[in-house]
C-alpha cells in the first residue's frame, strides 16, 4: 500500500496507526528473513507514538523506515558497521526525523546499508546480507539497500536513505521503487552520520512519485544546525505534480548511452523516453563532455572527505574500543583495525593518500577542478533543456558476490549517478519496466531524471508522467 492510499484509509477511519504497525511487524517477522532489510525495529516505542498520532498532519500516523545512518533518539545507529553495532545509542533526533515527527510520521525500523554508506550493493554491511525482493540471489543495490528492499517487498510503506554518489537512486532502480536525491542544501544533514560532506544528501525511497513528493515536502527546508542547508522557501511539491510534460524539453546525453550499457536497460530507458515524447515532451540530444571523468573525480573526493570524517571513530568517543591496548596509540590502531571492514579501510587509505603532502595537488586539487567542469556541463545543458533523462545504472541488479574481488568494477557501475552529487543537482529514479539479465528474469530498470539545482518540483512532475504511462513500456 502506498503512503498516499494509506493516508486516505487512516482519514476514512478504515485503519489505525497501531493496526498498521502491528501488520508491518507481522510481515517483517514472517517475510523479512528472505530479504534481510531490517537490522532492528522497536515496536513498543512506535506503538506508544502511534497512540498519540495526529492524523490531521500530512504524514499523520504513517510509519517510515530509516536507514541505519540517521540518528533517532534512543535507537541504534550502526551504519552497517561493527564499530557502532555494540554500544552506540543515538542521543538525539536527526533534523529529518524531527521534521518527519512534526509531520505526524512514526520512524519505524533500522534499515541495512553498506558500511558507512560505502558501496553500491549493501554487500559491504558488516552485519547482514540484504537480498533483492525480485530475485533473492541478487543484490538490492546500495548503499540504501535495506530501505529500497523493504519498500519493494512491502515490509515498509516508505523509507529514508542517503545518497552520496547514487545510494538512493541506484537501489531504487534495482528494486523497482522511486528514489529521490534532493539538491545539495535542500534537506538538512544534521544527524546523518557523514560520509562525504560535500556530496551527502538525505532523501525518500517510496512506492510512488506522489509518495516521494509528500516525503520531500516533510523533510525539506532550512535548518540552522546544518550550515550547508539553504534558507530558501520550500515550494508545494504536490501542486504541479500532474501537469504533465507537454512543451518541456528533455535532454538525452549521448555519454549515458555508450559502451557498457546492457541492451535491456537501454531498451527500457529509450521506451520510457519515447513515452514522454508521446506525451508532448521535446527530446533534445546533448553532450555532457566531462562524464567520463566522474568516476575518477568522485573516487578521489569522496574517500578524501571520508578519511577526515571517519577520524572521529577512534575508540574513545564512539562505539567499539579494543579490549587490552598497550598504550593510547595502540588503542586507536586496534579499535579501528577491529571496528572497520575492508571497504571502509580501503577508502580511508585512498583518502589519506590523496590528501597527503606531495599528492594533494596531483589528486585532490585536480579532482576539485574537474568537479567544476562537470558542474558546468550541467549548467550549460540546463540553458537548453528543463531536465536530463538517462539510465540509473548500466545493468539491472547483479548476483550477490559477483564483484567481490573487483572493487574497481563496482566503482565503474556508479558512472551515471555520481555526477549529480558532484554538481549538487537533484536526481530521481522512477521504475520504467523490467528486463532479463545474466540468468535473471523480469529485473527492474530505473529511469533517471536530473534537473537544475532546487528543481525538484519539475523532476517530480516529469517522473509522475513517466510513472503514469508505465503500461506503455512494461
Ligand atoms: N557507490 C558509491 C560509493 O560507494 C556511492 C555510495 C553512496 O551514495 N553513499 O561511494
Amino acid at each position: 500500500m502506498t503512503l498516499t492510499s494509506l493516508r486516505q484509509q487512516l482519514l476514512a477511519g478504515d485503519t489505525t496507526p497501531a493496526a498498521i504497525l502491528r501488520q508491518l511487524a507481522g510481515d517483517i517477522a514472517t517475510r523479512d528473513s528472505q530479504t534481510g532489510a531490517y537490522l532492528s525495529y522497536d515496536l513498543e516505542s512506535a506503538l506508544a507514538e502511534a497512540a498519540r498520532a495526529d492524523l490531521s498532519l500530512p504524514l499523520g500516523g504513517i510509519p517510515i523506515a530509516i536507514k541505519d545512518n540517521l540518528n533517532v533518539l534512543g535507537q541504534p545507529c550502526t551504519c552497517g558497521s561493527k564499530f557502532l553495532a555494540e554500544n552506540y545509542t543515538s542521543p538525539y533526533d536527526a533534523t529529518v526525523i524531527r521534521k518527519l515527527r512534526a509531520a505526524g510520521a512514526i520512524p519505524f525500523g533500522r534499515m541495512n546499508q553498506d558500511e558507512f554508506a560505502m558501496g553500491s550493493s549493501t554487500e559491504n554491511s558488516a552485519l547482514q546480507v540484504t537480498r533483492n525482493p525480485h530475485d533473492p540471489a541478487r543484490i538490492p543495490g546500495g548503499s540504501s539497500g535495506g530501505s529500497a528492499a523493504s519498500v519493494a517487498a512491502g515490509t515498509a510503506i516508505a523509507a529514508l536513505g542517503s545518497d552520496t554518489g547514487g545510494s538512493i537512486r541506484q537501489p531504487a532502480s534495482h528494486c523497482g521503487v522511486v528514489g529521490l536525491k534532493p539538491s545539495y542544501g535542500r534537506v538538512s544533514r544534521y544527524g546523518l552520520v557523514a560520509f562525504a560532506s560535500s556530496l551527502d544528501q538525505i532523501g525518500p525511497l517510496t512506492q510512488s512519485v506522489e509518495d516521494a513528493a509528500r516525503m520531500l515536502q516533510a523533510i525539506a527546508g532550512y535548518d540552522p544546525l546544518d550550515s550547508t542547508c539553504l534558507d530558501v522557501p520550500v515550494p508545494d511539491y504536490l501542486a504541479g505534480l500532474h501537469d504533465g510534460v507537454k512543451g518541456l524539453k528533455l535532454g538525452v546525453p549521448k555519454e549515458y548511452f555508450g559502451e557498457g550499457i546492457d541492451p535491456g536497460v537501454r531498451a527500457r530507458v529509450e521506451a520510457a523516453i519515447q513515452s514522454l515524447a508521446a506525451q508532448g515532451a521535446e527530446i533534445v540530444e546533448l553532450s555532457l563532455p566531462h562524464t567520463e571523468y566522474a568516476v575518477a573525480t568522485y573516487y578521489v573526493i569522496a574517500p578524501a572527505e571520508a578519511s577526515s570524517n571517519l577520524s572521529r571513530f577512534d575508540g574513545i568517543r564512539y562505539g567499539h574500543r579494543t579490549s587490552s591496548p598497550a598504550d593510547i596509540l595502540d588503542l586507536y590502531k586496534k579499535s579501528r583495525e577491529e571496528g572497520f571492514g575492508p571497504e571502509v579501510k580501503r577508502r580511508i587509505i585512498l583518502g589519506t593518500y590523496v590528501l597527503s603532502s606531495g599528492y594533494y595537488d596531483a589528486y585532490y586539487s585536480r579532482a576539485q577542478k574537474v568537479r567544476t567542469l562537470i558542474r558546468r556541463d550541467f549548467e550549460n545543458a540546463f540553458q537548453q533543456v528543463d531536465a536530463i533523462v538517462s539510465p540509473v545504472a548500466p545493468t539491472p541488479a547483479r548476483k550477490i558476490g559477483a564483484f567481490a574481488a573487483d572493487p574497481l568494477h563496482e566503482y565503474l557501475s556508479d558512472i551515471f549517478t555520481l555526477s549529480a552529487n558532484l554538481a549538487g543537482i537533484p536526481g530521481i529514479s522512477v521504475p520504467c519496466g523490467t528486463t532479463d539479465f545474466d540468468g535473471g528474469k523480469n529485473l527492474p530498470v530505473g529511469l533517471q531524471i536530473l534537473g537544475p539545482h532546487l528543481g525538484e518540483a519539475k523532476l517530480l512532475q516529469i517522473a509522475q508522467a513517466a510513472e503514469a504511462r508505465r503500461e506503455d513500456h512494461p
Side-chain angles (χ1 to χ4, degrees):
M1 185 151 309
T2 64
L3 184 160
T4 304
S5 57
L6 202 56
R7 173 161 169 74
Q8 278 156 8
Q9 288 207 5
L10 281 166
L11 289 174
D14 295 340
T15 186
T16 65
I20 296 167
L21 281 168
R22 290 190 197 284
Q23 168 87 43
L24 277 180
D27 287 348
I28 296 165
T30 52
R31 295 200 281 117
D32 190 59
S33 57
Q34 293 146 44
T35 313
Y38 281 82
L39 289 171
S40 62
Y41 58 92
D42 179 353
L43 183 59
E44 292 289 291
S45 74
L47 284 171
E49 286 181 57
R52 29 170 219 272
D54 180 351
L55 298 188
S56 71
L57 292 168
L59 303 179
I62 295 176
I64 306 291
I66 309 294
K67 186 175 181 178
D68 213 21
N69 59 358
L70 286 161
N71 281 280
V72 176
L73 175 67
Q75 295 197 8
C77 183
T78 69
C79 298
S81 180
K82 282 198 287 190
F83 218 116
L84 292 173
E86 296 160 16
N87 52 10
Y88 178 77
T89 301
S90 296
Y92 67 106
D93 275 342
T95 295
V96 286
I97 301 300
R98 198 171 46 72
K99 282 179 172 276
L100 280 183
R101 290 193 205 277
I106 304 168
F108 179 64
R110 308 292 312 171
M111 313 318 293
N112 198 23
Q113 59 167 94
D114 286 303
E115 184 173 6
F116 288 104
M118 296 172 190
S120 317
S121 69
T122 312
E123 291 167 295
N124 297 335
S125 169
L127 306 178
Q128 101 193 2
V129 175
T130 299
R131 297 174 184 281
N132 192 312
H134 294 267
D135 179 347
R138 289 173 191 272
I139 58 164
S143 66
S144 311
S147 298
S150 61
V151 173
T155 50
I157 313 299
L160 283 184
S162 65
D163 189 312
T164 305
S167 280
I168 291 173
R169 289 160 288 156
Q170 186 260 22
S173 177
H174 283 355
C175 288
V177 301
V178 175
L180 171 66
K181 180 201 93 74
S183 308
Y184 193 72
R186 179 76 289 182
V187 175
S188 166
R189 292 94 44 84
Y190 179 71
L192 165 70
V193 178
F195 166 6
S197 307
S198 77
L199 302 159
D200 298 338
Q201 271 292 301
I202 301 164
L205 293 108
T206 57
Q207 295 172 68
S208 74
V209 174
E210 182 169 343
D211 284 4
R214 290 180 190 277
M215 290 278 286
L216 181 64
Q217 199 76 56
I219 63 172
Y222 179 59
D223 176 18
L225 297 173
D226 174 356
S227 62
T228 67
C229 188
L230 295 169
D231 189 3
V232 291
V234 178
D236 181 346
Y237 292 116
L238 291 166
L241 194 60
H242 297 278
D243 285 357
V245 291
K246 204 164 170 16
L248 292 184
K249 287 192 180 147
L250 303 181
V252 178
K254 63 171 193 275
E255 292 81 4
Y256 284 57
F257 291 82
E259 200 192 328
I261 179 170
D262 173 73
V265 168
R266 178 199 286 265
R268 295 274 70 85
V269 169
E270 285 177 348
I273 295 170
Q274 280 313 311
S275 150
L276 291 168
Q279 294 179 62
E282 184 187 333
I283 308 301
V284 181
E285 297 220 0
L286 52 75
S287 171
L288 297 168
H290 296 93
T291 300
E292 64 173 305
Y293 305 111
V295 173
T297 304
Y298 173 91
Y299 279 98
V300 170
I301 293 173
E305 294 183 16
S307 71
S308 167
N309 276 325
L310 269 59
S311 64
R312 68 181 57 130
F313 299 101
D314 56 4
I316 307 284
R317 287 173 286 188
Y318 306 94
H320 178 72
R321 180 178 300 172
T322 193
S323 51
S324 42
D327 54 32
I328 182 77
L329 279 180
D330 197 44
L331 186 155
Y332 295 149
K333 266 199 210 161
K334 289 224 178 75
S335 299
R336 286 167 72 82
E337 186 182 318
E338 294 160 6
F340 291 138
E343 184 60 29
V344 175
K345 287 177 184 161
R346 179 157 35 234
R347 305 286 179 109
I348 292 172
I349 292 167
L350 263 172
T352 309
Y353 179 78
V354 299
L355 290 176
S356 59
S357 114
Y359 294 104
Y360 188 96
D361 288 334
Y363 296 108
Y364 186 72
S365 302
R366 188 160 308 177
Q368 292 291 13
K369 289 177 186 158
V370 181
R371 181 179 190 170
T372 302
L373 297 176
I374 290 170
R375 200 185 62 229
R376 285 196 194 137
D377 279 357
F378 284 103
E379 284 167 3
N380 291 335
F382 293 130
Q383 303 275 317
Q384 294 174 60
V385 296
D386 296 289
I388 286 168
V389 284
S390 80
V392 177
T395 72
R398 61 170 172 79
K399 290 198 181 108
I400 291 172
F403 286 171
D406 186 1
L408 189 58
H409 203 145
E410 179 94 356
Y411 298 171
L412 287 170
S413 72
D414 294 336
I415 176 74
F416 301 141
T417 50
L418 302 174
S419 295
N421 302 74
L422 291 166
I425 60 171
I428 191 168
S429 173
V430 60
C432 68
T434 61
T435 188
D436 298 345
F437 171 68
D438 187 25
K441 295 267 174 237
N442 303 322
L443 302 171
V445 176
L447 171 73
Q448 177 170 244
I449 310 167
L450 302 172
H453 191 245
L454 297 179
E456 284 84 357
K458 198 150 276 174
L459 284 197
L460 287 160
Q461 182 185 326
I462 299 164
Q464 177 67 40
E467 180 184 71
R469 289 295 182 88
R470 210 181 296 171
E471 63 273 22
D472 292 355
H473 43 89

